[in-house]
Amino acid sequence: MTIQRAAKAGFCFGVKRAIELAEKAAGTGLTASLGPLIHNQQVVDYLAEKGLEVIHSVDEAKIGQQLVIRSHGVPPETYEEAKERGITIIDATCPYVQKAQRMAASSSANSFVIVVGDKSHPEVKGILGWAGSNALAIETLAEAEDLPYYPRITVLAQTTQQKSHFFAVVEELKKHTGELIVQNTICAATEERQASARELAEKVDLMIVVGGLSSSNTRKLGSICSGKTKTYCIETAEELLEIWFTDAKITGLTAGASTPDWIIEEVYKKMSEFMEKTQIQEAEESAVKTVSTVSDEENMMENFDKGLPKLYRGAIVKGTVVKITGDEVFVDIAWKSEGMIPFEELSATKVSNINDLVKIGDTISVMVMRVENQEGYPVLSRKRANEVEAKEQLAHLAESKEEVQAVVTEAVKGGLLVDLGMRGFVPASQVETGFVDNLEKYIGKTLRLRVIEYDEYKKKLVLSQKVILAEEQEGKKEKLLETLKEGDIVKGTVRRLADFGAFVDLGGIDGLLHISDMAFSRVKHPSEIVNVDDEVEVQILAIDTQKGRISLGLKQLKTNPWSAAAEKYAVGSIVHGKVVRIAPFGAFVELEDGIDALVHISQLAEHRVMKVQDIVQVGQEITAKVIDFKPGDKKISLSIRELLTEASEASARQDLENQPEIPEVTIGEKIGNIPDTDVDTLK
């Protein structure tokens, strides 16, 4: 095996400058850095020994403490906050990052600023801070495709971006603006290291990438190399495993811009030791074998040991489950003792019952974590073996966008968890095409999923069922739109209610049944007519093929009550109805479904009425007379007063008719009947 180093690797100018400034400042006394100076824990630990404290906000700074701004930079508010508190700033921001900050600040005044990079990275957050509110960061090409139109866009790059990705996003942004200003802020040193790593990876059997796994620069180097050859990313020499180099004839070595030379040298030294060991073993195997003089017992033990599989930390072996306890699984791996899997090493997601994962007799793959524990058992991990085996498959699924199925193991804040060898996260917004209010109901159910984001180095796997369902729904929608036509009567299922109507699933596309088309009568809320999951028969009123919208009607399938109203409610008719609504000027009376009439306040009683409620109440049954009918306006006027007046007049007539008759007499006749003694008086 030979080892080849990348022509450009390790510390870049910006990182080296930041470390020198920090180390010098720490030597003068009380000094802290705002966050880890660089993304390399070994360097951070080294600087801590020199007296550089790590704090995470300006508020944490002590009185009299110097504050080092790390190479990634910070927003302008940080400088202002430090100034207000009287803190001395030592600015170790990388010059390339400072240039990007200045461009973002000047561009935001007359254009919308887009930064292509990792949204969570401090460098990107800092650049956005300089750009202000008129800016955003995007990571993927898909995010660029979803952007709206902006009259003018200025696009910048995180300094560690891959040039190919940056310019792919640039091409997409051209579709979203009338004027695109491209500022290529990718660091030259970053480009050199990525190009050097790519060139070396094409020539070797194996690549080792050294650097902090939290470093964006290191992760991108790993991504580039893994696209060319088998690649492992490590932080220190201790993480190297001999098994990686078994079949490698030529091995490449590169390092991120945050990796110091001494770590690179340690890794190179250990790789060299593996190389020498391999060469010695090959020489021994090719040498002439000598006759052994060991005893039969020694021969038997040697043969027994030779028959055992080679077991070492990181090895992946197959075994059979032979015993399950409350929190452990024992596996026969054909070694001198059974291996033991701790409960927490069974799955990448939470499991409440071991028996849901494995059963006695199952053959499973496991990774060796320790060759022997204190009891002599190899300690194994099914979770880590699955993760290693799943990497290639997950990378393929992320590229091909093929569907994969997985069982939901847990509901967490914001989504669901599944186990696909690596723990996968399904955001709540990606479970169904509509809103999901109860995630717990999905536990134990199988989802149809597609990988929408996969990062092997961040161990990030995001999936979506929604995109699959949406595509299928779109296909059904297109077919339905081709077959449906206005006037058709169709059946559907009520899926959702809103204040303005109900959404009805017609078998792949939702139509809107507006509240005004539910009934001829006044409807306050759709729930008065339909409920979720109701099967309804509706008529298609209108189809907008461009927007994919369908308007539905329910009342159109019923007879319009106004068609016979002229005959039923002619002027002079006596009608019965129920008071359904009261207004200051009168009461509305429902004569039948879809027909309301008005009793004006002046027609409620024979006397002057001050308040409608003094005479009638909602829900009260009344009898009234039709005094006006306007079919064109669909208005009917009623009067209770006229009925009362007619009733009073009829009653008076009846009283007169029922009085006894009085005989007619003359004055003379009357006087004739008066005694004589009274006649004089009358005279």
Side-chain angles (χ1 to χ4, degrees), residues 353-416:
N353 189 344
I354 289 180
N355 293 292
D356 292 339
L357 285 178
V358 292
K359 293 179 175 58
I360 292 175
D362 285 355
T363 299
I364 59 175
S365 294
V366 291
M367 176 183 283
V368 178
M369 296 171 63
R370 291 177 61 187
V371 177
E372 284 188 9
N373 61 9
Q374 292 179 343
E375 289 78 31
Y377 294 115
V379 180
L380 311 173
S381 172
R382 180 175 181 262
K383 174 177 73 176
R384 302 187 192 199
N386 286 350
E387 186 175 311
V388 171
E389 293 179 345
K391 282 181 180 178
E392 186 175 341
Q393 174 66 4
L394 290 173
H396 169 72
L397 290 172
E399 182 70 26
S400 66
K401 303 300 180 185
E402 293 176 19
E403 180 181 322
V404 63
Q405 296 189 355
V407 176
V408 176
T409 58
E410 190 179 352
V412 296
K413 184 179 179 181
L416 304 169

Side-chain angles (χ1 to χ4, degrees), residues 478-656:
E478 290 177 2
K479 289 182 181 178
L480 272 173
L481 287 172
E482 291 174 1
T483 57
L484 294 175
K485 59 182 182 294
E486 293 180 11
D488 283 353
I489 297 172
V490 295
K491 290 183 178 180
T493 305
V494 178
R495 294 301 183 201
R496 184 163 59 92
L497 299 182
D499 290 339
F500 53 83
F503 291 92
V504 181
D505 181 3
L506 302 178
I509 184 172
D510 284 354
L512 174 62
L513 175 58
H514 197 271
I515 194 169
S516 61
D517 290 308
M518 288 185 169
F520 289 104
S521 59
R522 179 184 174 86
V523 180
K524 292 182 179 179
H525 192 270
S527 58
E528 297 175 16
I529 307 297
V530 294
N531 294 301
V532 173
D533 294 332
D534 279 358
E535 296 286 335
V536 293
E537 190 172 61
V538 290
Q539 186 175 41
I540 296 176
L541 304 181
I543 300 175
D544 186 334
T545 53
Q546 288 187 339
K547 295 182 179 179
R549 293 176 182 173
I550 298 178
S551 299
L552 306 174
L554 187 61
K555 73 179 184 182
Q556 287 77 5
L557 300 180
K558 301 174 184 178
T559 302
N560 190 334
W562 285 96
S563 59
E567 184 178 338
K568 293 172 66 176
Y569 306 113
V571 174
S573 304
I574 307 300
V575 295
H576 303 281
K578 180 172 69 175
V579 177
V580 291
R581 189 159 50 96
I582 287 176
F585 53 81
F588 289 91
V589 179
E590 183 182 58
L591 301 180
E592 64 177 277
D593 184 22
I595 296 184
D596 288 354
L598 173 66
V599 183
H600 194 269
I601 190 170
S602 62
Q603 299 295 324
L604 285 170
E606 293 179 292
H607 59 275
R608 180 179 175 84
V609 177
M610 302 303 294
K611 288 177 65 178
V612 177
Q613 293 92 329
D614 293 341
I615 307 299
V616 293
Q617 302 294 325
V618 172
Q620 181 180 338
E621 298 283 347
I622 67 160
T623 301
K625 182 180 181 179
V626 178
I627 58 173
D628 191 17
F629 182 87
K630 296 178 179 178
D633 297 332
K634 294 182 179 179
K635 289 182 179 179
I636 300 175
S637 297
L638 305 179
S639 176
I640 297 174
R641 187 183 73 179
E642 287 200 14
L643 277 187
L644 292 173
T645 301
E646 289 175 2
S648 297
E649 291 174 353
S651 178
R653 283 196 302 272
Q654 187 65 38
D655 289 343
L656 288 172

Side-chain angles (χ1 to χ4, degrees), residues 3 54 89 122 216 257 292 389 463 467 500 569-570 596 606 669 682:
I3 305 170
V54 176
I89 289 288
S216 173
S292 175
E389 293 179 345
L463 306 116
V467 292
F500 53 83
Y569 306 113
D596 288 354
E606 293 179 292
E669 289 174 335
L682 290 170

Side-chain angles (χ1 to χ4, degrees), residues 207-211 218 221-222 225 231-235 252-256:
M207 277 294 292
I208 301 297
V209 179
V210 189
T218 302
L221 286 177
C225 294
T231 302
Y232 292 99
C233 292
I234 62 171
E235 290 190 345
L253 174 63
T254 190

Side-chain angles (χ1 to χ4, degrees), residues 35-55:
L37 189 71
I38 62 172
H39 282 152
N40 187 290
Q41 191 57 47
Q42 290 71 36
V43 173
V44 172
D45 292 342
Y46 165 78
L47 291 172
E49 293 174 3
K50 296 288 184 180
L52 185 71
E53 182 187 356
V54 176
I55 62 174

